[in-house]
Amino acid sequence: MAHNLLKGKKGIIFGALDEKSIAWRTALRCVEEGAEIVLTNAPVAMRMGEINKLAEICKAPVIAADVTSMEDIENLLTKSMEHFGGKIDFILHSVGMSLNIRKGRSYTDLDYNFTQKTMDISALSLHRVLQTAYKLDAINEWGSVVALTYIAAQRVFTHYSEMADAKSLLESIARSFGYHYGVKKKVRINTISQSPTKTTAGSGVKGFDGFVSYAEKMSPLGNATADECADYTVSLFSDYTKMVTMQNLYHDGGFSSTGISTAVAEQMEKE
Ligand code: NAI
């Protein structure tokens, strides 16, 4: 169902680790819709080799960048512009990692060195990318930047732990930078708040299968898949959403507006 929505557009996709990654699905959809892309991931993730498969399908170069390194980000943006022979039209920030979750530290027993790293990778990295692009004037007018987030930024989902704080910061940066980049260059910046999705990052959260089936039962449309998230992201990169900026957009089958569903109420009555 390609409609050439991104014909002639050029973009950078962060965070394609394997076939399940939301970024992987989005890269494929962007190319189907006529875009040219550059793929990037942390050097350590790239050593796993999977991304080269995607690069071949998408006919895209891969440029390594650790999102916590200003040097890497500057190099990525500069090399991407050289590759495209001009500025960029869209960026997908699909990056997240919690060191405390990974090391089994609970929210009431955080190691703050880990927390700083979590914030740096999962939230401040968006600021780093935007600030570097802003200074290099790397994004065309009406360009679009999307970062992925989760509803734990608004409400407590216990096992999401420090990632909830990271996502709150990420959403705030999208809003704040969205103002400045909007005024200066009409660049728009939004976050998509996606349903729980079975990926490497998702499955790292304790009790994740419970999250998925609870959200499925709570959402009138069911959980949104990674492919559906990719479709939504394409629409935000396209010219059909030009006046949408500084928003946190729920892509969750109605989960965020549902207090209790019949399916969950019936399940509770059984207890
Ligand atoms: P994923 O594990 O496939 O993607 C996470 C990516 O972050 C990986 O490609 C990883 O290599 C990259 N990354 C980690 N540290 C990095 C660093 N220092 N520099 C550069 N890249 C780095 O998992 P998924 O689910 O596709 O995650 C993508 C985004 O979607 C994340 O922001 C995640 O929090 C968000 N999200 C995921 C949901 C889920 O249930 N899977 C739900 C809502 C949002």
Side-chain angles (χ1 to χ4, degrees):
M1 53 162 214
H3 304 285
N4 264 335
L5 288 181
L6 303 182
K7 192 162 190 273
K9 293 196 188 294
K10 298 165 171 58
I12 302 180
I13 307 275
F14 285 78
L17 182 68
D18 57 31
E19 276 179 7
K20 285 182 278 168
S21 298
I22 298 170
W24 187 291
R25 314 312 307 169
T26 309
L28 292 174
R29 286 294 291 122
C30 288
V31 170
E32 271 173 33
E33 291 294 340
E36 276 176 66
I37 57 167
V38 164
L39 295 166
T40 183
N41 210 326
V44 55
M46 288 182 42
R47 278 199 287 278
M48 289 157 74
E50 291 268 301
I51 200 171
N52 295 327
K53 259 202 289 183
L54 179 65
E56 223 170 275
I57 302 169
C58 295
K59 298 185 177 48
V62 185
I63 302 173
D66 183 323
V67 290
T68 62
S69 158
M70 289 306 281
E71 208 187 318
D72 283 8
I73 291 172
E74 205 175 314
N75 177 61
L76 168 68
L77 289 170
T78 311
K79 292 264 166 63
S80 298
M81 284 194 286
E82 274 169 31
H83 168 74
F84 292 136
K87 294 188 204 177
I88 293 148
D89 299 292
F90 63 85
I91 296 177
L92 175 68
H93 178 287
S94 184
V95 175
M97 224 254 284
S98 162
L99 272 90
N100 278 292
I101 292 179
R102 199 181 246 201
K103 306 273 184 189
R105 304 281 298 240
S106 72
Y107 191 70
T108 50
D109 182 34
L110 294 182
D111 175 315
Y112 298 117
N113 290 322
F114 292 161
T115 303
Q116 279 179 359
K117 193 95 186 139
T118 300
M119 294 294 154
D120 208 2
I121 294 173
S122 310
L124 279 179
S125 58
L126 178 64
H127 198 285
R128 287 177 190 277
V129 171
L130 290 169
Q131 183 166 293
T132 310
Y134 188 88
K135 288 185 178 169
L136 292 173
D137 192 16
I139 306 181
N140 279 318
E141 281 204 358
W142 300 107
S144 171
V145 179
V146 168
L148 291 170
T149 187
Y150 183 57
I151 194 173
Q154 284 75 33
R155 296 199 248 137
V156 173
F157 289 77
T158 51
H159 296 318
Y160 210 67
S161 188
E162 65 175 1
M163 274 303 275
D165 300 337
K167 292 302 191 191
S168 301
L169 179 56
L170 180 83
E171 291 174 17
S172 177
I173 290 170
R175 207 162 33 240
S176 302
F177 224 115
Y179 172 81
H180 294 286
Y181 227 149
V183 168
K184 189 165 184 212
K185 283 277 163 183
K186 300 199 173 353
V187 168
R188 43 217 197 77
I189 307 171
N190 296 288
T191 49
I192 293 179
S193 187
Q194 163 68 6
S195 294
T197 314
K198 287 188 181 173
T199 61
T200 305
S203 312
V205 177
K206 204 173 136 211
F208 185 71
D209 288 345
F211 268 46
V212 174
S213 47
Y214 172 70
E216 177 73 29
K217 284 197 169 61
M218 278 285 285
S219 312
L221 301 181
N223 287 333
T225 64
D227 282 322
E228 285 156 349
C229 187
D231 287 341
Y232 190 37
T233 306
V234 164
S235 77
L236 286 169
F237 290 158
S238 81
D239 292 337
Y240 286 96
T241 52
K242 272 171 89 171
M243 297 307 282
V244 181
T245 192
M246 301 158 71
Q247 301 297 314
N248 181 42
L249 303 161
Y250 290 104
H251 184 253
D252 64 359
F255 177 85
S256 48
S257 290
T258 307
I260 191 163
S261 63
T262 309
V264 171
E266 281 171 357
Q267 184 72 31
M268 296 311 291
E269 273 170 12
K270 288 187 200 144
E271 291 185 4

